[in-house]
């Protein structure tokens, strides 16, 4: 079986979709699946991101507009699409999904006797109603409303099916737009590869690299520094608890890992710390992490924390679970039900009150309670988010 993924960008710093594609690669190779990616990147950049040799990347160069228009995509698809069994559109709202629809229609007209590939779409949470309702996205919501009725509705309803990463994502997608009527909706699950085995050296290496005291406990925020992720709630929650006599001495340090500190939002977070030195003393930014540095950060933390307003899946959450780390999250992270059922974390609303409650509940747990939650975290990962099971499910569905 041959699969072609169509995705606008593959820079690892852009978040989950490309990481999800990479996570499946080794297991799908063992299952006899060959995969290619076509994307709007420069060839030289692809080499820097160290993709597996078994994953063929077709780099068409940078797009020319904010719609991610690339004139090379439709000609590429007309020439190559029939060499694949399945096309998977990853993500929505940009040119690449429209281009696949247009290219397939063209192939049907010109080659009525040729077997065409099936077309599936992985929305990666981009049909979540949050994107249309959040006040900070009003202009984008209006744009998406018109784009939906003009283009994206036809793309979705004409595809062979939509592939969702969890039941919550599938359910939420039904509630966002009028005229949503896909041929099939399939929860294929999602997974990550098992992390490298635990070693004290990983933890020590991370802490020494970033001048963290080896014995100082910390909570880990590992995600893009973006308004959607709720970092502002976390910093304010720290301020509140540091001024609370019952919790101030118990509150661990906070390590913030992820790209985006140079953005307008990142600058606001830095300014907040400058205005509140009591919080600044507990916080350290370490930037984007990958490889051993990332795993060292996860293994070294007491717990993972992410007060996000919306996460389709939350790969970093699953990675923390795989390292037997409890997760302190919101009920807007779509895999929260599996975590809640398995007793692998603490879950509350995506507001300041919920963020404070998560921290308070964690700080009042005794050692036995924290250890039990850590054991549950590992079990939840193995049961729900192991990439081997997810890859087999993906192959079964698209066959």
């Amino acid at each position: 079986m041959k699969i072609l993924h169509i995705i606008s960008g593959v820079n690892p710093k852009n978040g989950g979709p490309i990481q999800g594609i990479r996570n499946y690669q080794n297991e799908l190779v063992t299952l006899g699946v060959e995969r290619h990616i076509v994307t709007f990147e420069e060839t030289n950049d692809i080499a820097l991101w160290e993709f597996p040799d078994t994953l063929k990347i077709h780099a068409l160069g940078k797009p020319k507009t904010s719609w991610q228009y690339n004139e090379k995509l439709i000609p590429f698809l007309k020439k190559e699409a029939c060499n694949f069994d399945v096309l998977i559109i990853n993500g929505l709202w940009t040119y690449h999904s429209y281009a696949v629809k247009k290219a397939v229609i063209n192939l049907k007209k010109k080659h009525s006797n040729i077997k065409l590939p099936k077309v599936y779409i992985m929305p990666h949470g981009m049909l979540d109603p949050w994107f249309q309702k959040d006040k900070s996205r009003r202009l984008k919501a209006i744009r998406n409303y018109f784009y939906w009725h003009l283009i994206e509705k036809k793309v979705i309803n004409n595809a062979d099916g939509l592939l969702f990463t969890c039941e919550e994502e599938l359910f939420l997608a039904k509630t966002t737009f009028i005229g949503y009527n896909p041929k099939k909706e399939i929860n294929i699950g999602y997974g990550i590869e098992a992390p490298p085995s635990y070693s004290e050296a990983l933890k020590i290496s991370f802490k020494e690299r970033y001048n963290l005291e080896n014995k100082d406990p910390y909570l880990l925020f590992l995600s893009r520094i973006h308004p959607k992720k709720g970092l502002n709630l976390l910093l304010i929650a720290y301020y509140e608890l540091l001024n609370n006599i019952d919790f101030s001495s118990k509150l661990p340090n906070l390590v913030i890992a992820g790209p985006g500190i140079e953005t307008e939002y990142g600058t606001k977070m830095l300014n907040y710390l400058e205005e509140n030195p009591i919080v600044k003393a507990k916080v350290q930014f370490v930037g984007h992490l990958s490889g051993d540095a990332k795993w060292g950060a996860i293994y070294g933390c007491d717990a993972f924390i992410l007060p996000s307003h919306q996460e389709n899946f939350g790969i970093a959450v699953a990675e923390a679970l795989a390292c037997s780390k409890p997760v302190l999250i919101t009920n807007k992270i779509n895999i929260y039900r599996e975590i809640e059922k398995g007793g692998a974390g603490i879950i509350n609303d995506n507001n300041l009150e919920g963020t404070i409650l998560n921290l308070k509940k964690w700080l009042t747990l005794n050692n036995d309670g924290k250890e039990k939650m850590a054991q549950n975290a590992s079990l939840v990962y193995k049961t729900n988010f192991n990439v081997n099971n997810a890859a087999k499910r993906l192959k079964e569905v698209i066959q």
Side-chain angles (χ1 to χ4, degrees), residues 9 96 140 159 178 186 194 200 232 248 274 304 314 384 388:
H96 72 297
K140 290 182 178 179
I178 295 172
I186 310 164
E200 195 70 19
N232 58 312
S248 58
E274 291 300 325
F304 176 93
N384 298 282
N388 296 350

Side-chain angles (χ1 to χ4, degrees), residues 183-201:
K183 295 176 182 177
K184 289 183 181 179
E185 298 168 283
I186 310 164
N187 173 24
I188 61 168
Y190 217 43
I192 63 164
E193 289 187 299
S197 299
Y198 166 82
S199 75
E200 195 70 19

Side-chain angles (χ1 to χ4, degrees), residues 73 90 95 206 225 259 301 310 312 342:
L73 180 55
N90 290 266
Y95 174 73
F206 168 74
I225 299 171
C301 73
Q310 191 276 333
N312 172 52

Side-chain angles (χ1 to χ4, degrees), residues 34-296:
E34 179 183 338
R35 294 199 301 166
H36 295 226
I37 297 175
V38 59
T39 185
F40 305 154
E41 303 282 7
E42 299 292 347
T43 303
N44 291 341
D45 291 334
I46 298 295
L48 298 175
W49 298 325
E50 298 181 347
F51 282 88
D53 292 338
T54 55
L55 189 58
K56 173 67 175 175
I57 314 292
H58 305 272
L60 303 185
K62 294 293 184 182
K64 295 182 178 180
T65 68
S66 59
W67 187 40
Q68 303 289 295
Y69 172 74
N70 191 308
E71 62 188 6
K72 296 180 181 179
L73 180 55
I74 288 180
F76 174 89
L77 291 170
K78 288 180 179 178
K79 179 181 178 183
E80 300 291 343
C82 290
N83 294 324
F84 295 88
D85 301 296
V86 175
L87 309 182
I88 299 180
I89 301 168
N90 290 266
L92 298 168
W93 308 118
T94 56
Y95 174 73
H96 72 297
S97 60
Y98 165 79
V100 173
K101 174 180 175 290
K102 188 171 182 179
V104 170
I105 289 174
N106 182 275
L107 287 170
K108 285 180 179 178
K109 290 179 178 178
K110 288 190 175 183
H111 306 285
S112 58
N113 60 334
I114 294 179
K115 182 182 178 182
L116 295 174
K118 291 183 178 180
V119 178
Y120 289 97
I121 300 172
M122 286 198 74
H124 294 285
M126 294 182 189
L127 289 172
D128 193 301
W130 178 85
F131 292 103
Q132 292 302 105
K133 295 179 179 179
D134 186 71
K135 293 179 181 179
S136 69
R137 291 181 48 86
R138 284 177 179 172
L139 291 178
K140 290 182 178 179
I142 293 170
R143 177 204 65 187
N144 286 357
Y145 173 84
F146 287 104
Y147 190 82
W148 167 259
H149 287 286
L150 290 171
I151 296 175
E152 208 73 280
K153 176 171 66 175
K154 296 174 184 177
V155 173
I156 285 174
N157 292 344
N158 288 326
D160 291 287
L162 267 62
L163 307 177
F164 295 99
T165 60
C166 60
E167 285 294 336
E168 187 75 2
E169 183 197 3
L170 189 155
F171 169 75
L172 290 171
K174 298 174 183 289
T175 68
T176 307
F177 292 105
I178 295 172
Y180 171 84
N181 188 31
K183 295 176 182 177
K184 289 183 181 179
E185 298 168 283
I186 310 164
N187 173 24
I188 61 168
Y190 217 43
I192 63 164
E193 289 187 299
S197 299
Y198 166 82
S199 75
E200 195 70 19
L202 281 174
K203 289 169 51 177
I204 294 172
S205 174
F206 168 74
K207 287 191 171 185
E208 288 180 346
R209 177 176 174 182
Y210 293 99
N211 298 316
L212 299 168
E213 294 292 336
N214 278 335
K215 294 183 180 179
D216 286 349
Y218 64 88
L219 299 180
L220 178 65
F221 174 101
L222 176 62
S223 191
R224 287 183 299 139
I225 299 171
H226 184 277
K228 190 179 79 165
K229 307 296 182 175
L231 178 57
N232 58 312
L233 299 177
L234 183 53
L235 295 182
I236 297 170
Y238 255 66
Y239 176 85
E240 296 291 335
L241 293 182
L242 287 169
N243 285 284
N244 184 321
I245 192 170
D246 294 327
F247 294 97
S248 58
S249 62
K250 301 176 183 178
L251 198 62
N253 291 333
L254 175 63
V255 171
I256 300 171
I261 193 60
E262 75 288 347
T263 64
E264 180 182 354
Y265 180 75
T267 301
K268 287 181 180 179
M269 299 301 98
L270 291 176
N271 289 340
Y272 179 85
L273 294 181
E274 291 300 325
E275 295 166 2
N276 297 279
I278 189 175
V279 182
K280 183 180 179 181
K282 301 290 287 186
V283 173
Q284 182 158 348
F285 288 88
V286 296
H288 176 69
L289 298 179
S290 61
D292 287 350
K294 179 183 75 174
W295 296 115

Side-chain angles (χ1 to χ4, degrees), residues 249-387:
S249 62
K250 301 176 183 178
L251 198 62
N253 291 333
L254 175 63
V255 171
I256 300 171
I261 193 60
E262 75 288 347
T263 64
E264 180 182 354
Y265 180 75
T267 301
K268 287 181 180 179
M269 299 301 98
L270 291 176
N271 289 340
Y272 179 85
L273 294 181
E274 291 300 325
E275 295 166 2
N276 297 279
I278 189 175
V279 182
K280 183 180 179 181
K282 301 290 287 186
V283 173
Q284 182 158 348
F285 288 88
V286 296
H288 176 69
L289 298 179
S290 61
D292 287 350
K294 179 183 75 174
W295 296 115
I298 297 174
Y299 275 126
C301 73
D302 281 5
F304 176 93
I305 187 163
L306 184 62
S308 183
H309 298 296
Q310 191 276 333
E311 295 290 329
N312 172 52
F313 179 80
I315 287 177
V317 179
E319 289 175 337
L321 295 171
C323 294
S324 301
K325 296 298 174 179
V327 295
L328 316 181
I329 61 171
T330 71
N331 53 17
K332 300 302 180 183
I333 294 175
N334 284 348
I335 58 173
Y336 83 91
R337 295 185 190 278
E338 291 89 341
I339 294 166
E340 187 174 55
K341 182 178 179 181
I346 300 172
I347 299 155
N348 263 295
D349 293 334
N350 59 317
N351 54 30
L352 180 58
E353 182 182 3
T355 306
I356 292 173
L357 280 173
N358 273 358
L359 287 167
K360 283 183 175 180
K361 287 182 179 181
W362 173 253
L363 295 175
T364 53
L365 272 181
N366 59 29
N367 289 337
D368 288 343
K370 291 179 179 178
E371 179 59 32
K372 177 61 176 175
M373 198 173 284
Q375 293 172 3
N376 290 343
S378 178
L379 184 59
V380 166
Y381 159 70
K382 292 174 182 176
T383 304
N384 298 282
F385 310 127
N386 182 289
V387 74

